[in-house]
Amino acid sequence: MNLEVACVLGASRGIGLAFVKKLVEKPEVKIVFAMARTVEQIDYSHPKLVKIYLDAANEESFFQAKEQMQKSADHIDLLINCIGFLHENEVLPERKIDEVNTENFVHSLKINVLPSIFMLKAFKDMLRESEAPVIASLSAKVGSIGDNRMGGWYSYRISKTALNMALKTAAIEFQRMKSSSRFFLLHPGTTKTKLSEPFLKFAKSKYKIHDPEDTAKNLLNLINRNLDQKEEPILFLSWDGERLSW
Ligand SMILES: NC(=O)c1ccc[n+]([C@@H]2O[C@H](COP(=O)([O-])OP(=O)(O)OC[C@H]3O[C@@H](n4cnc5c(N)ncnc54)[C@H](OP(=O)(O)O)[C@@H]3O)[C@@H](O)[C@H]2O)c1
């Protein structure tokens, strides 16, 4: 991957922060933009790192973030969105249909889908300036319709399925505009973060549990291994390389 300038959304913690730390270590990387709404809480510094405030729920904030980036770069080679919402305070994923409510459903769509659309809308000129831009959003296996065997988690599942459709649609449009662009939807595997924390006890018996650093490394390798697969506009991949069913 031609990787001089990288931009990570959701860089405050978890997998996003782990990506930032991995990327600044790479000798070919010159600058990493780390975007978050809690940017002042990113407890990490590096000469290659530029922290930028982003309110992911506000479209205008993406254009302001672009202006900030343009002070130090004219293009983006790698854009990764790690923002995700599954639970907050007493709001937990729904186990049954009776638990679905408008507020949680709409919030899930707002946080899990729209930022991936707005980052492309706001940053497309900078992506176009890259020789071969790579765009990735962290999706989830539970967003696969074909793989849905357990049910439950309505708002999160549906929002990840919608994210997959949003990015596939954008990948088709971007390929017309810039045929060298590559798009990925990535299932990171169960990773020890605030998002997965309430479910780790159950998950431990079923899945391998990763540290965020392993996940960031796995996913960067996964992207690199799949850059030449150009038969599809976008790949929906699991951390272990499996192609996931839409
Ligand atoms: N961990 C797993 O096992 C797992 C499995 C499958 C998929 N994923 C996906 O991987 C991605 C990264 O998750 P993670 O595990 O690293 O979770 P995490 O540690 O909880 O990080 C979530 C990120 O999303 C941001 N975020 C959440 N709500 C937001 C809001 N309302 N507005 C703006 N930003 C918001 C957080 O920012 P703040 O710090 O500002 O809240 C944080 O940067 C997510 O898309 C998740 O769905 C994770």
Side-chain angles (χ1 to χ4, degrees):
M1 182 178 1
N2 177 29
L3 184 50
E4 203 177 84
V5 184
C7 174
V8 181
L9 278 64
S12 55
R13 53 186 159 94
I15 300 169
L17 182 58
F19 266 121
V20 167
K21 291 180 176 174
K22 279 273 168 294
L23 286 164
V24 293
E25 278 169 18
K26 292 188 176 291
E28 69 272 31
V29 172
K30 301 252 181 332
I31 185 159
V32 177
F33 296 111
M35 297 193 179
R37 61 177 167 167
T38 45
V39 78
E40 67 291 341
Q41 282 171 31
I42 304 180
D43 185 20
Y44 178 71
S45 307
H46 190 282
K48 293 181 188 174
L49 184 61
V50 179
K51 299 175 192 175
I52 295 182
Y53 171 77
L54 177 75
D55 174 1
N58 174 359
E59 182 180 349
E60 187 50 36
S61 184
F62 287 80
F63 289 91
Q64 288 158 359
K66 181 180 84 166
E67 281 177 21
Q68 292 302 312
M69 282 195 286
Q70 284 178 323
K71 290 179 184 167
S72 11
D74 63 353
H75 71 284
I76 302 170
D77 299 307
L78 174 65
L79 176 61
I80 304 182
N81 180 14
C82 299
I83 294 168
F85 166 74
L86 174 60
H87 62 89
E88 210 163 52
N89 304 324
E90 68 283 359
V91 178
L92 285 169
E94 312 89 346
R95 284 160 303 166
K96 46 189 182 165
I97 209 154
D98 294 348
E99 293 169 7
V100 178
N101 67 71
T102 308
E103 197 183 341
N104 187 33
F105 184 83
V106 171
H107 185 68
S108 301
L109 288 177
K110 204 167 169 183
I111 301 306
N112 293 339
V113 187
L114 282 178
S116 285
I117 295 176
F118 290 147
M119 72 180 187
L120 291 167
K121 185 174 172 184
F123 307 161
K124 67 175 184 304
D125 295 343
M126 292 183 77
L127 291 164
R128 215 188 326 219
E129 289 301 314
S130 167
E131 216 171 277
V134 175
I135 297 101
S137 283
L138 285 239
S139 183
K141 202 171 181 173
V142 298
S144 161
I145 292 176
D147 187 72
N148 185 358
R149 294 183 185 90
M150 280 175 64
W153 292 28
Y154 284 86
S155 298
Y156 185 71
R157 265 187 203 284
I158 294 168
S159 65
K160 290 294 187 183
T161 312
L163 165 70
N164 292 354
M165 179 58 96
L167 225 65
K168 178 155 186 183
T169 306
I172 293 166
E173 180 178 337
F174 270 63
Q175 281 216 322
R176 289 189 198 121
M177 183 175 85
K178 179 101 190 171
S179 60
S180 60
S181 56
R182 302 295 303 129
F183 277 72
F184 296 92
L185 286 155
L186 303 171
H187 169 63
T190 307
T191 306
K192 219 170 151 185
T193 63
K194 195 170 165 193
L195 182 136
S196 64
E197 204 263 323
F199 316 101
L200 285 180
K201 213 167 145 191
F202 166 77
K204 241 188 253 174
S205 60
K206 291 190 74 178
Y207 311 108
K208 183 176 163 55
I209 312 289
H210 305 266
D211 286 327
E213 294 71 28
D214 294 335
T215 294
K217 188 173 156 204
N218 287 338
L219 297 182
L220 286 173
N221 288 338
L222 185 66
I223 290 173
N224 265 317
R225 288 202 306 276
N226 284 281
L227 283 175
D228 292 338
Q229 316 250 342
K230 294 186 176 144
E231 74 276 18
E232 307 228 24
I234 185 166
L235 297 174
F236 180 23
L237 298 172
S238 173
W239 67 276
D240 56 5
E242 181 192 349
R243 281 204 190 197
L244 295 170
S245 149
W246 294 97

